[in-house]
Amino acid sequence: MIASRLIAHRGASLLAPENTLGAMTKTHEIGTPWVEIDVNRLGDGTLVMFHDDQLGRLTSARGRLCDQRWEDVASLDIGSHFSTDYSGERMATLSQALDHIQTLGLGLNLEIKVYPEFTPEQIVFDTIKVLDTQWRDTDKLLISSFNSEVLNLLHHWRPDWQCGHLWERIPNDWAEIAEELNLVSVHCDHRYLSVEQVSQIRASGLDLYCYTVNEPERAAHLLQLGVDGIITDDPLLLGASR
């Protein structure tokens, strides 16, 4: 297993505001060894830890992420929507997030987001530059994306990096795609996962991670079936464990 049995989704996002440095700290505090975050791109090319392509859900501002510069968003409060305890929490650049995650000693599942305003090349090459400069232990890094072109670019330019394909429903040709892209893992929505798929993926030697599982009984069932890891908003529901 590359990652851990439990992976904190966007930084245990039922316990702290998602994709924030505070959420990374919370992940560490509760003893969850791996965290999943999103990398996204601003209009000026700055890479940020942020899921959406719009500001509205998590901030009091409005607008598309692709229309923003770093100076436009650096002071936005992205914690108050969650709790007054996190008032003043700011958006973090990918660089800031990587520094904090490594300081905490966490493993990282980095999801690369691609929205229509940018090409896969634009975010992949910038992400490679930041990771090359800052990330030290590639054994504790697992990159995932719903976008096959992102994974193809990574396979070409950084063939030694560990990558996994995100799907909602696993396609019938998952094994061929995994071989073509030299994947190490499959990531899927647990609601559409069959027992047969679990068996086939385990037999292939690939890791299997399921998102987003927040019910203890469902998590236990998936692990019993042979799923390697659970991506969850609240690892405490499942008993934070290595």
Side-chain angles (χ1 to χ4, degrees):
M1 183 169 59
I2 296 162
S4 60
R5 178 174 168 268
L6 296 176
I7 302 169
H9 184 233
R10 305 180 196 169
S13 57
L14 280 176
L15 306 178
E18 66 177 64
N19 280 320
T20 62
L21 299 183
M24 307 303 107
T25 300
K26 176 61 72 174
T27 297
H28 173 70
E29 289 175 351
I30 64 175
T32 306
W34 275 67
V35 66
E36 184 267 356
I37 69 170
D38 301 291
V39 58
N40 213 325
R41 191 177 192 272
L42 301 180
D44 65 0
T46 304
L47 298 182
V48 292
M49 179 170 56
F50 201 79
H51 176 275
D52 298 356
D53 62 343
Q54 301 277 340
L55 292 170
R57 182 173 66 90
L58 300 175
T59 80
S60 60
R62 294 291 183 269
R64 301 187 304 169
L65 214 65
C66 67
D67 294 329
Q68 312 303 314
R69 302 164 301 169
W70 175 243
E71 53 263 39
D72 299 325
V73 301
S75 62
L76 291 179
D77 182 334
I78 62 171
S80 293
H81 74 92
F82 182 86
S83 163
T84 55
D85 292 340
Y86 287 96
S87 296
E89 188 81 35
R90 305 302 182 203
M91 189 182 298
T93 65
L94 177 61
S95 177
Q96 291 168 338
L98 295 179
D99 278 347
H100 192 54
I101 288 166
Q102 289 181 105
T103 297
L104 295 171
L106 299 174
L108 173 61
N109 175 195
L110 179 66
E111 180 185 344
I112 297 180
K113 307 297 292 185
V114 181
Y115 289 105
E117 294 82 6
F118 299 113
T119 67
E121 288 85 357
Q122 285 176 300
I123 192 164
V124 167
F125 292 140
D126 287 343
T127 300
I128 286 174
K129 290 176 186 176
V130 176
L131 289 171
D132 278 346
T133 301
Q134 291 186 250
W135 193 263
R136 295 184 293 272
D137 185 358
T138 54
D139 287 340
K140 295 184 71 175
L141 175 66
L142 176 59
I143 301 175
S144 60
S145 183
F146 282 98
N147 190 295
S148 295
E149 182 58 25
V150 163
L151 299 169
N152 186 49
L153 288 165
L154 289 168
H155 173 48
H156 180 76
W157 292 104
R158 292 296 182 273
D160 294 333
W161 287 6
Q162 302 178 123
C163 294
H165 206 303
L166 272 159
W167 283 293
E168 183 176 31
R169 298 175 186 268
I170 298 172
N172 292 332
D173 60 346
W174 64 267
E176 290 81 1
I177 294 171
E179 182 176 4
E180 179 181 349
L181 299 177
N182 194 33
L183 302 179
V184 299
S185 57
V186 170
H187 305 234
C188 70
D189 188 323
H190 70 99
R191 296 173 297 174
Y192 308 116
L193 181 67
S194 69
V195 174
E196 181 181 14
Q197 288 171 329
V198 175
S199 177
Q200 291 171 345
I201 293 168
R202 283 182 57 85
S204 75
L206 298 176
D207 277 9
L208 175 58
Y209 300 99
C210 287
Y211 68 87
T212 303
V213 186
N214 293 327
E215 300 78 29
E217 296 81 8
R218 177 60 175 162
H221 178 65
L222 289 166
L223 293 169
Q224 186 178 30
L225 287 178
V227 169
D228 290 288
I230 299 297
I231 300 170
T232 176
D233 294 321
D234 184 2
L236 290 180
L237 285 176
L238 315 178
S241 169
R242 298 177 186 272

